[in-house]
Amino acid sequence: MQLRLSFATLLAGVLFALSTVQDAAARPARRNSGLVTLPLKRVPRAEGVPPTVYLQQHINRAHKRLARMKKREVPSDHQLRQNIERRMLALEEDPLSKRFNRQGVKKNARSTNRIGLAGAVHNPRSLQLKKKKAANGAAGQTAAASGATATGDNGTAGTGSEVEANGVPSGVEAANAPTASNSLGLNIEGQDVGYLATIQMGTPPQNFLILMDSGSADLWVGSESCQSTAGGGCGSHTFLGTASSSTFQDSGKQFAVTYGTGNVAGTIITDNIAIAGLNLTGHQFGVADQESDDFADNSVPFDGLMGIAQSSLSEQGVPTPPESLASAGLISDAITSFKISREADDLNDGEITFGGLDATKFDSTTLTTFDNVNADGFWEGAMDSVTVDGTDTQLTGRTAILDTGTTLIVAPPDDATAVHQLIQGAASDGQGGFTVPCTTNASVALSFGNTAFAIDPRDIAFQPVDANDPTGDCISGISSGEIGAATEWLVGDVFLKNAYFSVDVGKNAISLAKLV
């Protein structure tokens, strides 16, 4: 009985932990070369969570995300809970303290699963921040630099989510100052789990730290009357409303968005926003009067989410910011481009660019452009082939949804097995995941537009199964799942960190290029 109670308590704790989260002042509108780039940031994963449970959380969210994308029945919470229970039962022979121990972990230092993404794959992450270099001050991007005010507890002046000296919350690594004009960096959330950028909203302008997601199409932040579905306010975030903005106008029209880990509901409003200094006057977007704890908790480092899929996918039924920037003539085309940074490289050079591609970030001779084959508004392209160390897996006729809001790669079970059969030392865990040697040098490459893009072996060896044995087995960055069509993949940041990624609404096209 005592063991059963301890396990139940442990399971409840793990489920709670896994459900809790991962610029200069606005200048007058200006015309420019057509490029606008924002910094992306990253959020940490809570320590003490077993890696296999962490993996299952990623898999669960990927499955929910894809089901919503394809308008299929979403797995029930009961099914997803059972998946986690099986992972916990597999660890039953280990002492409970090794499975889940939150001693010394401050709640406001934990971050939840990368949310705001329709079914995204995100998880609590490590609390330890790498020491920041002086160059990482991200000049011109922080609230301190712009004079924007951080607020907490629904409009009360506060310090935000443990804002550090460099202007980003604890657990977020600031991007370097951008290298190109009209650019802001992508700040890194945790261990390559989420990517955040700072934009301004309202009059006077306030800084909002926003999660950037190519797999959804709605922009929202919390309202000044925001309430958590768990009760109470929406944490130490920045909010928007009549008290903070003289140009705020509420249409009264309601919206609701359900994501893989959480949901928000509120009203559609109009207010001024600035993206890298480009002003959109009277832009339509949402303020959330109600947020699930996945967004409302103090530990969540971001204030809202910007979806960058096509507006045909929007629950609010309004144009996305890139589309509005193009319509206003502030950028030449509704193009959004990503250079996603890898935390282990310590370069902090991630950027999101609006209006074109930043040619300094990629090898132009490798640029390939191909059609978007998804009719719903997601970014999905034909995948020519998948190879491992140059050996063709014979997986043809596949398509891939390219999604910055998903962490892993999720492939149909037979496809994932075929890939891992060619990786020496790889093994199935029997529950949809795989392990690979942490020391693997296997080169997995996905081909689009007749160009092969290799994935760094460090991204395939996603995380050690045993944190005390970094040279043992690692969880693979490629997992399996019933995605729907037997030929459809969901390809997230494990791949996208290895390529320059751009989407073009006007041409309904996707571009990839090899990084410089």
Side-chain angles (χ1 to χ4, degrees):
M1 174 64 73
Q2 182 60 43
L3 177 60
R4 205 175 307 154
L5 289 174
S6 298
F7 175 74
T9 302
L10 168 66
L11 177 59
V14 169
L15 292 171
F16 172 80
L18 291 176
S19 67
T20 314
V21 205
Q22 85 192 155
D23 318 350
R27 295 180 290 278
R30 58 186 171 83
R31 297 202 179 239
N32 49 47
S33 60
L35 296 183
V36 180
T37 308
L38 297 174
L40 292 180
K41 305 168 187 174
R42 170 183 62 231
V43 198
R45 183 179 61 84
E47 294 179 340
V49 177
T52 52
V53 175
Y54 177 44
L55 170 67
Q56 188 60 54
Q57 190 73 355
H58 278 286
I59 294 173
N60 281 358
R61 291 194 179 93
H63 290 180
K64 290 182 72 174
R65 185 177 183 88
L66 195 63
R68 295 187 197 285
M69 288 177 175
K70 294 311 217 175
K71 298 181 179 180
R72 295 192 296 268
E73 183 178 357
V74 177
S76 69
D77 289 342
H78 176 68
Q79 290 173 310
L80 300 179
R81 179 184 290 266
Q82 284 185 322
N83 293 342
I84 292 178
E85 287 176 351
R86 285 194 292 268
R87 296 283 183 182
M88 294 303 301
L89 289 170
L91 297 169
E92 186 63 29
E93 68 277 7
D94 292 335
L96 293 178
S97 61
K98 288 187 178 180
R99 294 192 230 151
F100 182 66
N101 189 332
R102 287 161 51 179
Q103 289 185 353
V105 178
K106 296 180 181 179
K107 183 177 180 182
N108 60 1
R110 297 195 311 269
S111 17
T112 330
N113 327 310
R114 212 162 127 178
I115 350 175
L117 325 162
V121 177
H122 311 302
N123 298 270
R125 32 255 174 200
S126 155
L127 312 178
Q128 299 301 321
L129 279 177
K130 294 169 69 176
K131 196 171 184 179
K132 306 294 188 302
K133 296 180 179 179
N136 290 354
Q141 301 173 18
T142 67
S146 68
T149 303
T151 60
D153 296 327
N154 300 29
T156 303
T159 58
S161 303
E162 285 195 5
V163 176
E164 296 186 338
N166 60 6
V168 296
S170 176
V172 176
E173 191 157 346
N176 293 335
T179 58
S181 60
N182 308 319
S183 298
L184 291 171
L186 281 175
N187 306 292
I188 306 172
E189 176 193 357
Q191 296 174 323
D192 303 341
V193 175
Y195 298 90
L196 316 176
T198 300
I199 67 173
Q200 289 76 42
M201 294 179 169
T203 305
Q206 294 187 92
N207 279 354
F208 287 81
L209 190 59
I210 303 296
L211 182 66
M212 296 290 169
D213 175 29
S214 69
S216 65
D218 293 289
L219 169 63
W220 62 265
V221 295
S223 76
E224 290 171 347
S225 59
C226 182
Q227 294 292 307
S228 168
T229 55
C234 291
S236 296
H237 296 107
T238 304
F239 302 98
L240 188 65
T242 55
S244 58
S245 174
S246 62
T247 48
F248 180 98
Q249 295 185 353
D250 193 335
S251 72
K253 183 179 178 181
Q254 296 184 340
F255 82 95
V257 186
T258 299
Y259 297 102
T261 52
N263 55 80
V264 297
T267 58
I268 298 172
I269 62 100
T270 59
D271 207 341
N272 302 334
I273 70 171
I275 299 175
L278 298 183
N279 284 358
L280 282 173
T281 302
H283 183 66
Q284 286 187 295
F285 59 101
V287 292
D289 297 317
Q290 188 175 73
E291 298 177 3
S292 66
D293 255 8
D294 306 283
F295 298 102
D297 193 86
N298 280 336
S299 63
V300 180
F302 50 85
D303 304 309
L305 180 135
M306 183 189 292
I308 304 172
Q310 298 187 44
S311 58
S312 57
L313 196 64
S314 170
E315 297 291 343
Q316 298 167 358
V318 300
T320 65
E323 292 170 358
S324 292
L325 286 170
S327 296
L330 297 174
I331 57 177
S332 56
D333 298 286
I335 295 172
T336 308
S337 303
F338 294 85
K339 195 291 179 185
I340 293 177
S341 184
R342 180 183 295 104
E343 186 249 359
D345 292 339
D346 201 24
L347 295 176
N348 301 329
D349 59 350
E351 290 185 354
I352 181 171
T353 300
F354 295 91
L357 292 77
D358 181 355
T360 68
K361 295 292 187 287
F362 62 91
D363 179 354
S364 61
T365 65
T366 66
L367 181 66
T368 182
T369 300
F370 45 96
D371 292 337
N372 177 24
V373 299
N374 189 285
D376 297 321
F378 296 101
W379 298 110
E380 182 172 8
M383 188 164 60
D384 306 323
S385 65
V386 182
T387 62
V388 180
D389 293 328
T391 300
D392 197 334
T393 58
Q394 303 301 314
L395 301 176
T396 58
R398 270 52 177 179
T399 62
I401 294 174
L402 301 176
D403 180 15
T404 61
T406 292
T407 303
L408 301 176
I409 295 172
V410 182
D414 289 348
D415 289 5
T417 297
V419 171
H420 287 94
Q421 284 176 341
L422 295 176
I423 299 176
Q424 186 173 3
S428 169
D429 67 5
Q431 299 182 61
F434 294 83
T435 60
V436 297
C438 292
T439 55
T440 186
N441 289 317
S443 177
V444 178
L446 309 184
S447 292
F448 297 89
N450 297 315
T451 302
F453 296 90
I455 301 172
D456 192 306
R458 292 174 297 171
D459 299 322
I460 298 298
F462 182 67
Q463 184 192 30
V465 173
D466 182 350
N468 296 318
D469 186 11
T471 61
D473 285 335
C474 272
I475 291 168
S476 174
I478 302 175
S479 65
S480 69
E482 297 292 342
I483 297 177
T487 58
E488 190 172 43
W489 290 42
L490 180 60
V491 174
D493 299 330
V494 162
F495 171 79
L496 293 172
K497 283 180 285 186
N498 297 276
Y500 191 82
F501 170 45
S502 181
V503 295
D504 186 333
V505 174
K507 295 180 178 177
N508 198 27
I510 304 167
S511 296
L512 292 171
K514 295 182 180 180
L515 298 172
V516 174

